[in-house]
Amino acid sequence: MADGGMPEQYWYNVRLRRVETVEDMSPAKDRLGPYPTREEAERALEKVQERNEQWDAADDDWDAVDED
C-alpha cells in the first residue's frame, strides 16, 4: 500500500512507453489507467488492442444487422 493507506496504483504512459506511479505521474493526456498492479499497467497497450478488436467486431455485427 502507498502512504496514507491507499492501495498502490499504476499508469501506463503512452508517450514515454513506461509504467508510472503517483510519485512520477505524467499529465493525464499521456496516461492510461489506473491499474491495480504494475503487470496490468505493462499490458495496457495489449488490452487496448484487444478491446479495439472486440469493438470492431461488434461494429461489424451491428452493420450486418442494419443490412438485413
Side-chain angles (χ1 to χ4, degrees), residues 23-48:
E23 290 85 23
D24 63 354
M25 225 175 358
S26 297
K29 67 183 179 114
D30 296 329
R31 290 184 276 126
L32 299 174
Y35 298 93
T37 67
R38 175 172 290 280
E39 292 76 22
E40 286 183 64
E42 289 170 345
R43 288 195 62 240
L45 293 180
E46 292 175 43
K47 196 67 161 173
V48 166

Side-chain angles (χ1 to χ4, degrees), residues 9-40:
Q9 293 183 321
Y10 301 87
W11 290 263
Y12 185 78
N13 183 308
V14 295
R15 184 174 56 85
L16 300 175
R17 298 187 178 274
R18 70 175 190 190
V19 174
E20 299 177 336
T21 64
V22 71
E23 290 85 23
D24 63 354
M25 225 175 358
S26 297
K29 67 183 179 114
D30 296 329
R31 290 184 276 126
L32 299 174
Y35 298 93
T37 67
R38 175 172 290 280
E39 292 76 22
E40 286 183 64

